[in-house]
Amino acid sequence: MNKIIVLKIVLLLTLSSSLLADVVKLKSIAILNLVNSSENPQYDSWQEGLSELLYIDASNSSGLITLDRTTLSKIINTSLNKKSVENQIGELLRFGINANLDYIVQIALKKQAATYLEIKLIDVFLGSVISEHKLNCPETEFIRWHKKLLYDLYQDLGIANSDVLKKLDKILAITSSDKWNVISDFFTALKSQAAGKIDHAVSLLEKSCSGKYLPACDQLGIINQLNGKTNEALEYYTRACDNGYMSACNNKGALEYYSDKNEVAVDLFKNGCDAGHMAGCDNWGLVESKIGNKEKAKELFEKSCQSGELRGCDNLGVVLLSLDRKKEAHDTFKLACKLGLVSACDNLADLENQAGNKKLARELYKSACDDHFMNSCNSLGLLEEELGNQKLAQSYYKLSCDSGHFGGCNNQGAIAMSNNNTVMARELFERSCNAGHMGGCYNLGILLVSEKKIADAKVLYTKSCDQGYMRSCHNLGSLIQKDGDIETAKKLYEKSCLKGLAGGCYNLGLLELDKNQTLAMGLFTKSCQLGLMDGCSNQGTLEYYAKNESLAKDLFKKGCDNGHMKSCDNLGLMEHRSGNKDSAVKLFKKGCEGGNMGACDNWGAYEENSGNVETAKRFYKKACAGGFLASCDNIGVLEENTGKVQMAKEYYIRGCDKDYYDSCNNLGILNEKAGEETEALKYYNKACVKKHTGACYNLALLEIKKGNKEKAKELFEISCKGGLERACKMELE
């Protein structure tokens, strides 16, 4: 599958439950948002803050795998907030069992006689609360309560030890009551950013970052990077990373990678990975995969996936596919999809689609598309178009295009083009191309070629070829070949061939055929292996002439079985020459009905040799009408043999006018018989100039009649060298 793997910029470390059964089972928990039941709305912002502190600390514990609330929300398909959480415990328990989850943590801020913080630990297997802690304290002491409750929770989980306490002290170092506002500012800033109030968000984040809340510094780095301020982004990432915030180290690594500082980036990813930050493992794996170290990438993605990082599972599936381990890839995508990662659902849909499971693929694409994953909307459009539902396909292309997926614009343009709406097609191709989608540039180039705007098309093909779009390299090569620059065309065909484009290999093979048949054979073989049946047919032809008839037959059969009608025709000829006439005529019939005019001609010849002249004429006429000039000549011969000279002449003229020289020769004979020697000379000359041996021979006989023996001698020599034996036997005094 053509999936583009990109480095991820991650706001906060996101882990999920243990995914693979063959690793040591860690205790896994899902933490719900804090429920504010205090009747004081000013604490609503604490919903995310306090649960985030618990989540971050739990994520950094070597004894836990933590499923974050965002993932939970997506799986249950609704927000987990104070209004609905009680009603969702049953759903959570069902999911927890399927996801091999051990515990669910629920936090509540309540106010009865006094304000207190409550934390419950729910055992998924038992389906019941196994521990509950409540602490009464003045509101100014909430943060200190939090630390105490964490330790109580860890004791319940059986992972409380001195290392845990040290981690708690480090993580909560900034969370004294007089600094709680920096955390509150952070989450308020995120809400402002989501609402499009960027300036307000930046102001709050700067306050929070100055208060040494490292996620705020990291988020400022992300905002600056998105706005193209890479130096400022790097400064914020560095500030957070140097103080141990691994998400910022990961984002700094991504920025360094895109600045071509690969070694620096890998060091940052590695440090994060070694410190337990799975996004670092994931990005390190992406770098290793890109440079071809698939096994190392697999190892890193496995580590990430086994620790609950769903993106790691998705990338593991991709690298398993590249290692031709499709079953494992399928299972990995399936599990990550089940846990709510839409990109994994999209990859799973691709595999099901390729396996012919169209119904399941459609369901998966539809689910991911409904979850606003636009690549799936585009893929769903492709599937619907394949199934003949063009209007539905167009609606999905439009949805993805309008949402910024420019492959959708390109595909929408292709439908418009097929409906002859070139104005709409041009607009969509331009939109796609200008946004950097090279398929749009390629299709716009095709449109321009159809309008004879060759220079403009070359510009677009060059642009997209330089960006790695091999079809454009191939088409640019074709245009340059027509200009006569064969060497440049060869280079472009070679470039596309090396990148796996079958047409590039095939066209390069055609250019090499006269000079280097061995090289041409190799290129046709590669194009055949890449799925181009023209390549199989040409390879078969070369193998046939090299006396490798068994291999030639296999190649023609492969082509014929895959809808290449010329291969059916060639296989039919081999069967006919082997005496398998019934098999041959079936193949000629298949080829002819499939649109190959050479097969119609051979079917006609078979019927003619069987004495079925009228039937033969019918097939010759079909082939002639389809542009197969040998058939025009064959009808002419049949008509001439039955005395229909004028009709024969019309068919010969049709062939000769299009440079089929057998017809020119036959037209010359017809005119000579009618006493029209001037006309006969004209047609013989036209064919003889092109070394047609019969025409040169007949022209020589006319020259003898006129007393031009020297000229006749020259013509007999041409005919003799061309292989006409009777010309070699002519002796002139």
Side-chain angles (χ1 to χ4, degrees):
M1 75 188 45
N2 295 317
K3 294 291 171 189
I4 299 173
I5 306 175
V6 296
L7 297 175
K8 309 294 191 307
I9 296 176
V10 184
L11 170 61
L12 291 171
L13 176 63
T14 304
L15 299 176
S16 54
S17 60
S18 180
L19 298 176
L20 301 181
D22 58 349
V23 296
V24 177
K25 179 71 170 67
L26 301 179
K27 294 184 177 181
S28 51
I29 64 174
I31 300 172
L32 308 187
N33 266 1
L34 177 140
V35 178
N36 179 18
S37 300
S38 69
E39 301 177 358
N40 188 344
Q42 78 178 64
Y43 297 125
D44 284 350
S45 62
W46 290 34
Q47 280 189 293
E48 292 170 325
L50 283 175
S51 53
E52 184 67 20
L53 287 172
L54 177 57
Y55 167 68
I56 291 174
D57 180 66
S59 297
N60 280 275
S61 170
S62 60
L64 288 177
I65 295 173
T66 311
L67 191 68
D68 68 288
R69 59 195 174 281
T70 303
T71 302
L72 282 170
S73 171
K74 289 174 71 64
I75 292 164
I76 300 170
N77 204 27
T78 183
S79 296
L80 299 175
N81 54 44
K82 63 181 181 181
K83 296 178 181 178
S84 59
V85 68
E86 297 291 347
N87 297 328
Q88 292 183 28
I89 292 298
E91 183 68 26
L92 279 170
L93 289 172
R94 283 191 292 275
F95 163 72
I97 292 170
N98 291 334
N100 204 22
L101 197 62
D102 295 314
Y103 302 109
I104 296 169
V105 176
Q106 182 181 354
I107 319 166
L109 180 65
K110 297 189 176 182
K111 188 168 186 177
Q112 294 175 349
T115 301
Y116 66 88
L117 194 66
E118 173 186 273
I119 187 165
K120 292 180 181 179
L121 183 63
I122 302 167
D123 188 299
V124 171
F125 181 74
L126 297 176
S128 62
V129 175
I130 60 170
S131 71
E132 183 174 1
H133 300 280
K134 300 178 183 179
L135 285 177
N136 296 302
C137 201
E139 294 177 7
T140 56
E141 299 296 321
F142 282 166
I143 301 304
R144 270 186 266 177
W145 294 354
H146 175 254
K147 181 176 177 181
K148 173 67 167 61
L149 286 175
L150 282 175
Y151 187 66
D152 289 343
L153 176 64
Y154 285 172
Q155 283 187 316
D156 294 334
L157 292 169
I159 62 169
N161 53 45
S162 59
D163 289 337
V164 169
L165 287 175
K166 287 178 183 178
K167 283 189 176 183
L168 284 175
D169 288 337
K170 181 178 180 182
I171 293 166
L172 301 176
I174 67 161
T175 60
S176 61
S177 58
D178 61 333
K179 291 188 177 180
W180 169 248
N181 60 326
V182 299
I183 300 174
S184 180
D185 285 342
F186 173 72
F187 287 103
T188 304
L190 292 185
K191 291 177 181 178
S192 294
Q193 185 181 352
K197 301 174 182 178
I198 304 300
D199 291 342
H200 182 248
V202 168
S203 176
L204 289 172
L205 288 169
E206 286 176 345
K207 284 174 59 182
S208 186
C209 179
S210 297
K212 298 183 180 179
Y213 189 60
L214 303 180
C217 306
D218 185 41
Q219 186 65 10
L220 282 168
I222 292 172
I223 290 174
N224 277 282
Q225 185 174 349
L226 292 174
N227 289 327
K229 299 178 180 179
T230 54
N231 291 333
E232 290 87 343
L234 193 60
E235 180 183 337
Y236 282 114
Y237 289 148
T238 301
R239 187 188 305 182
C241 178
D242 289 350
N243 283 281
Y245 191 66
M246 289 298 107
S247 178
C249 299
N250 181 66
N251 291 341
K252 180 182 178 182
L255 190 58
E256 297 286 17
Y257 182 83
Y258 289 127
S259 300
D260 293 325
K261 297 179 181 178
N262 293 7
E263 291 183 4
V264 175
V266 169
D267 284 343
L268 287 162
F269 296 148
K270 184 177 184 299
N271 290 340
C273 182
D274 292 344
H277 186 75
M278 292 303 106
C281 301
D282 197 38
N283 280 349
W284 184 11
L286 290 170
V287 175
E288 295 294 343
S289 179
K290 189 169 184 180
I291 61 177
N293 297 335
K294 302 294 184 182
E295 289 297 335
K296 180 63 178 177
K298 173 178 163 292
E299 174 190 328
L300 290 163
F301 293 145
E302 282 177 340
K303 180 178 180 179
S304 174
C305 181
Q306 289 168 2
S307 295
E309 174 60 61
L310 296 184
R311 286 184 299 269
C313 300
D314 195 30
N315 287 331
L316 175 60
V318 172
V319 82
L320 284 169
L321 275 181
S322 72
L323 294 170
D324 201 28
R325 295 164 67 171
K326 187 174 288 188
K327 176 65 168 60
E328 294 171 73
H330 179 278
D331 292 345
T332 303
F333 290 142
K334 185 176 181 179
L335 187 54
C337 175
K338 180 179 179 181
L339 291 173
L341 188 69
V342 290
S343 61
C345 298
D346 183 67
N347 283 332
L348 180 61
D350 286 343
L351 287 183
E352 297 293 355
N353 192 19
Q354 292 165 15
N357 302 324
K358 304 297 182 182
K359 183 179 179 181
L360 179 55
R362 176 189 272 168
E363 291 173 359
L364 289 163
Y365 284 141
K366 180 72 165 58
S367 176
C369 178
D370 289 345
D371 208 4
H372 308 293
F373 193 71
M374 289 302 118
N375 192 65
S376 285
C377 299
N378 183 54
S379 295
L380 185 55
L382 290 169
L383 180 55
E384 294 295 354
E385 187 174 2
E386 179 187 340
L387 296 173
N389 305 321
Q390 191 176 92
K391 287 186 177 179
L392 192 55
Q394 196 161 15
S395 70
Y396 285 118
Y397 292 149
K398 187 177 187 305
L399 174 61
S400 59
C401 177
D402 292 346
S403 299
H405 188 287
F406 296 103
C409 303
N410 181 45
N411 290 333
Q412 191 183 357
I415 286 184
M417 191 72 177
S418 69
N419 293 329
N420 297 316
N421 189 346
T422 56
V423 174
M424 183 179 181
R426 184 192 311 279
E427 178 186 337
L428 288 161
F429 291 150
E430 285 178 348
R431 183 176 176 186
S432 177
C433 180
N434 292 338
H437 189 279
M438 294 301 105
C441 302
Y442 168 78
N443 280 333
L444 185 56
I446 291 175
L447 179 58
L448 290 169
V449 168
S450 72
E451 296 172 344
K452 310 300 182 185
K453 297 177 181 177
I454 305 301
D456 292 339
K458 284 182 180 178
V459 171
L460 287 167
Y461 285 149
T462 300
K463 173 184 175 180
S464 46
C465 176
D466 290 344
Q467 292 295 316
Y469 198 80
M470 291 302 111
R471 290 184 178 182
S472 291
C473 301
H474 173 270
N475 283 15
L476 182 60
S478 295
L479 293 180
I480 289 175
Q481 182 181 347
K482 290 176 182 177
D483 292 340
D485 188 351
I486 303 301
E487 291 306 312
T488 301
K490 280 185 178 180
K491 290 177 182 177
L492 287 162
Y493 291 146
E494 182 179 22
K495 180 178 180 178
S496 64
C497 177
L498 291 172
K499 292 294 184 179
L501 189 73
C505 305
Y506 178 79
N507 281 351
L508 184 58
L510 291 177
L511 290 179
E512 295 290 353
L513 188 57
D514 290 339
K515 296 180 180 178
N516 190 336
Q517 199 168 96
T518 301
L519 177 57
M521 172 76 89
L523 290 163
F524 292 144
T525 300
K526 183 173 181 179
S527 69
C528 177
Q529 292 169 345
L530 289 169
L532 185 66
M533 294 304 109
D534 282 335
C536 300
S537 179
N538 280 11
Q539 182 192 354
T541 300
L542 291 180
E543 296 290 1
Y544 177 81
Y545 286 118
K547 307 300 182 183
N548 300 323
E549 293 193 12
S550 178
L551 180 54
K553 191 172 183 178
D554 288 344
L555 287 162
F556 291 144
K557 185 177 187 305
K558 177 181 178 180
C560 184
D561 290 346
N562 283 280
H564 189 263
M565 296 301 113
K566 177 61 179 173
S567 293
C568 299
D569 184 35
N570 286 340
L571 185 58
L573 287 170
M574 289 190 72
E575 291 291 329
H576 191 271
R577 288 166 186 164
S578 299
N580 303 323
K581 295 185 178 181
D582 289 343
S583 176
V585 76
K586 288 179 182 178
L587 288 161
F588 294 148
K589 181 176 185 291
K590 180 177 179 179
C592 179
E593 291 176 348
N596 183 266
M597 296 301 106
C600 296
D601 182 70
N602 284 329
W603 193 1
Y606 174 85
E607 296 295 345
E608 182 183 352
N609 292 333
S610 301
N612 304 322
V613 175
E614 291 305 316
T615 303
K617 282 184 182 180
R618 188 168 78 249
F619 294 125
Y620 286 148
K621 285 180 180 179
K622 178 177 179 179
C624 177
F628 197 79
L629 300 178
S631 286
C632 303
D633 190 64
N634 287 339
I635 301 173
V637 172
L638 289 179
E639 298 294 4
E640 185 179 357
N641 289 343
T642 56
K644 298 177 182 178
V645 176
Q646 186 56 39
M647 189 172 289
K649 190 173 184 180
E650 290 174 6
Y651 278 107
Y652 291 148
I653 289 173
R654 188 182 300 186
C656 184
D657 284 351
K658 292 185 178 179
D659 298 332
Y660 187 75
Y661 298 111
D662 279 353
S663 290
C664 297
N665 183 50
N666 286 338
L667 199 53
I669 294 170
L670 204 61
N671 279 282
E672 187 177 356
K673 287 179 179 178
E676 301 288 342
E677 288 193 2
T678 302
E679 285 294 297
L681 282 169
K682 181 178 75 174
Y683 290 116
Y684 288 149
N685 267 313
K686 180 175 181 178
C688 183
V689 166
K690 296 298 182 178
K691 310 298 183 185
H692 188 284
T693 56
C696 293
Y697 180 87
N698 290 333
L699 185 58
L701 293 178
L702 279 180
E703 293 295 343
I704 290 173
K705 284 184 181 181
K706 296 192 303 183
N708 299 329
K709 291 185 178 181
E710 288 301 319
K711 180 63 176 176
K713 186 176 181 180
E714 292 175 10
L715 292 166
F716 283 138
E717 287 178 358
I718 293 171
S719 187
C720 176
K721 288 179 181 179
L724 190 64
E725 190 175 344
R726 67 176 182 269
C728 303
K729 296 177 180 178
M730 295 299 294
E731 295 182 6
L732 299 178
E733 295 179 359

